[in-house]
Amino acid sequence: MSRSIVIIGSGMAGISLVRELRKLDKQVDIVLLSREPGDFYSKPALSNALAAGKSAAALVLTPAARLAQDLRVRIVGGTEVSAIDTGARTVRASAGVFRYDALVLAVGASQRLPPIAGEAVGAMLSVNNLADYARFRERLTDARCVAIIGAGLIGCEFANDLSLAGIDVDVYDVAGQPLGRLLPAQAAALYRRQLEAAGIRFHLDTTLARIDPAERGYLLTTGTGATARYDLVLSAIGLRPNIALARDAGLDTGAGIRTDRLLRTSMQDVYALGDCAEVDGLVLPYVLPITHGARALAATLSGLPTEVRYPAMPVVVKTPACPAVVCPPPVANGAWSVAVEPDGLRGIHRAADGQSTDGFVLLGAAVKERMSLAERLPGPLTRTAPK
Ligand SMILES: Cc1cc2nc3c(=O)[nH]c(=O)nc-3n(C[C@H](O)[C@H](O)[C@H](O)COP(=O)(O)OP(=O)(O)OC[C@H]3O[C@@H](n4cnc5c(N)ncnc54)[C@H](O)[C@@H]3O)c2cc1C
């Protein structure tokens, strides 16, 4: 019987891995199990597709049937994996039981929901896959005003996209600035002004207490009792790695499914990749770590153990009202020096030693300098000591 690699999840991690594996091994059996249908799409496109008028179907880059044929992978879509038996080396899914020689968990992350009371809590939307986007787009028909909860990367991107689509947008956050985890205060202030100039309203330092049905749409009530009505409420307060399946199977988990730099979990022949993984202590829920991880893991699974090596990976914030690129410093100690210039803002983060540069931020036209700055920075794993 030939060797079988089972991958759970058909997001960027799962499908990128199949592509990399097939470059190295034409023979191995690959089975891809997923709750989703298995079509390949770019998740980052979900937060800037509305203004371009794109339907969910238009965002599919490669349909599952085409992937299956081109990559000779068995895709079992629409199936829920409920358990892993690492002793028997099997995975139990609603579509049956699958035996593996190597198993890869590429199960992603789920949107967190804000702790809000009220009778319309269940009506809040979040967008984390193509089906969510289709539902969101459908619910936006006739919507004039939308509230977004969360002023992070995803919240700001949706705010800008909705605003470009002609919809009134209010963004709420308990934090005092947008992109709170990414930007130093001076950059966040300029970023906020630019988005406000495009018509987006921010309600920062604001706790939301309730969401209730209104005569039309929903009524949001803040912690201070202020109320406002919206046609739709979108939650974008952040993602949490999906660890339950791994934890229930006895794998070591923390913030994510813990792996070493070979992307090996604590169980033999079980690996993790993508938003669900905590690689040598780091959860990096972005596309570039997946690209590098998929390449390394494909080599490992093909018989050449290869540690993942990340270069510095700038995060691009897709808000045309204020383009932004950030390479966050690994730890907060150190200091930012920020300069506002006519073509945008440049910020450099110096590490605590006062010598080395370990992060940067660029706003406006200055974003064109991102590659030259990134090339000078160490990658995230070079900053942590090997175990
Ligand atoms: C709106 C939005 C915009 C973004 N923009 C950017 C950006 O500009 N730049 C950037 O770098 N990153 C961006 N990101 C993050 C980036 O998209 C993610 O890091 C990446 O797509 C994660 O891929 P993944 O395969 O790890 O996870 P996912 O895409 O979440 O895939 C997980 C897969 O596992 C399946 N699954 C989970 N549990 C089970 C189960 N029990 N049984 C069966 N199947 C299961 C799911 O159905 C899914 O197919 C954005 C994210 C969002 C939501």
Side-chain angles (χ1 to χ4, degrees), residues 86-288:
T86 55
R89 292 176 170 248
T90 56
V91 162
R92 190 170 69 231
S94 47
V97 173
F98 297 81
R99 192 195 62 79
Y100 66 81
D101 294 296
L103 174 67
V104 180
L105 302 175
V107 290
S110 300
Q111 290 279 0
R112 290 189 291 131
L113 284 179
I116 297 184
E119 287 167 24
V121 169
M124 268 186 298
L125 294 179
S126 60
V127 178
N128 191 33
N129 57 41
L130 215 47
D132 291 343
Y133 174 76
R135 199 171 313 120
F136 178 51
R137 200 163 177 265
E138 192 184 304
R139 294 271 306 275
L140 276 172
T141 318
D142 300 330
R144 300 265 32 95
C145 51
V146 171
I148 297 179
I149 308 176
L153 179 138
I154 293 174
C156 286
E157 290 188 350
F158 274 113
N160 202 161
D161 201 30
L162 284 162
S163 165
L164 285 170
I167 292 171
D168 278 350
V169 186
D170 282 16
V171 183
Y172 291 84
D173 204 307
V174 289
Q177 63 168 66
L179 300 181
R181 293 216 189 99
L182 292 173
L183 298 185
Q186 199 179 343
L190 177 62
Y191 182 82
R192 175 183 178 171
R193 284 199 300 277
Q194 302 280 345
L195 265 64
E196 283 176 339
I200 296 159
R201 289 181 294 265
F202 284 97
H203 305 265
L204 301 172
D205 292 312
T206 302
T207 313
L208 286 171
R210 297 184 63 84
I211 171 170
D212 292 290
E215 196 175 323
R216 185 164 171 270
Y218 307 97
L219 197 69
L220 275 187
T221 307
T222 69
T224 58
T227 58
R229 193 203 69 81
Y230 298 97
D231 293 320
L232 214 62
V233 178
L234 179 72
S235 166
I237 63 162
L239 295 162
R240 178 178 291 138
N242 293 325
I243 61 170
L245 190 62
R247 191 193 50 218
D248 294 350
L251 275 67
D252 189 13
T253 57
I257 303 169
R258 289 197 171 122
T259 78
D260 61 11
R261 295 178 185 203
L262 288 162
L263 304 181
R264 294 181 303 196
T265 68
S266 58
M267 291 287 180
Q268 203 178 355
D269 296 319
V270 183
Y271 302 80
L273 176 69
D275 281 12
C276 65
E278 181 183 325
V279 181
D280 198 8
L282 291 179
V283 177
L284 299 169
Y286 299 106
V287 171
L288 280 176

Side-chain angles (χ1 to χ4, degrees), residues 8-14 33-36 41-47 79-82 106-109 111 127-129 153-154 157-158 239 242 245 273-276 284-290 315-318:
I8 308 174
S10 64
M12 290 213 144
L33 306 173
S34 185
R35 191 185 285 148
E36 289 186 87
Y41 63 96
S42 165
K43 194 186 276 196
L46 300 180
S47 49
T79 193
E80 180 73 26
V81 175
S82 53
V107 290
Q111 290 279 0
V127 178
N128 191 33
N129 57 41
L153 179 138
I154 293 174
E157 290 188 350
F158 274 113
L239 295 162
N242 293 325
L245 190 62
L273 176 69
D275 281 12
C276 65
L284 299 169
Y286 299 106
V287 171
L288 280 176
I290 291 176
V315 178
V316 177
V317 187
K318 306 179 296 292

